[in-house]
Amino acid sequence: MKKIYFPLKLKLTLWYVLLLTIVITIFSVVTYLSLEKMIIINEDTILKTQVQQISSVLDIENGKIKSGDEPFYANTDFYGALYSYPDLNLIESNIPSRILG
């Protein structure tokens, strides 16, 4: 059987391609994981802020939420609906009725 000899240029090129592929893969994975963590932290902060805004407006009496004079979504930039628990009756909402059904 004949041995196949590869020229040095080809060997070096293959090694560089392999090394570059490994470096790009590691860079991509680290960048993806970092961005994912930043996005999750950012979204958590936004959600916590919205919960604080909503809970500061809600009237809670005897462990039940009652609808106050000001809507629960005042001074916020999100859409939502407030349902009673456990019967799930709609108390108030800023979602268009055609979407709620």
Side-chain angles (χ1 to χ4, degrees):
M1 222 175 169
K2 232 178 172 183
K3 275 190 168 184
I4 300 174
Y5 292 100
F6 293 106
L8 184 60
K9 285 182 180 180
L10 181 63
K11 288 180 184 179
L12 282 174
T13 302
L14 291 176
W15 275 109
Y16 286 139
V17 167
L18 178 66
L19 182 66
L20 186 63
T21 303
I22 291 170
V23 168
I24 289 175
T25 302
I26 290 171
F27 175 76
S28 300
V29 168
V30 168
T31 303
Y32 175 81
L33 293 175
S34 298
L35 284 174
E36 180 185 39
K37 186 174 182 177
M38 280 180 17
I39 289 171
I40 289 173
I41 289 171
N42 187 31
E43 290 300 317
D44 281 347
T45 305
I46 290 170
L47 287 173
K48 286 177 185 176
T49 303
Q50 288 179 347
V51 166
Q52 288 173 349
Q53 288 175 344
I54 291 170
S55 63
S56 68
V57 176
L58 292 177
D59 291 329
I60 300 176
E61 188 175 287
N62 296 330
K64 292 187 178 184
I65 298 173
K66 64 179 202 174
S67 182
D69 296 335
E70 190 174 350
F72 79 97
Y73 48 82
N75 301 322
T76 61
D77 58 352
F78 79 102
Y79 288 97
L82 180 61
Y83 290 92
S84 63
Y85 181 80
D87 53 356
L88 296 179
N89 291 326
L90 180 65
I91 296 174
E92 61 182 77
S93 171
N94 65 342
I95 300 174
S97 59
R98 69 178 190 282
I99 294 174
L100 283 175

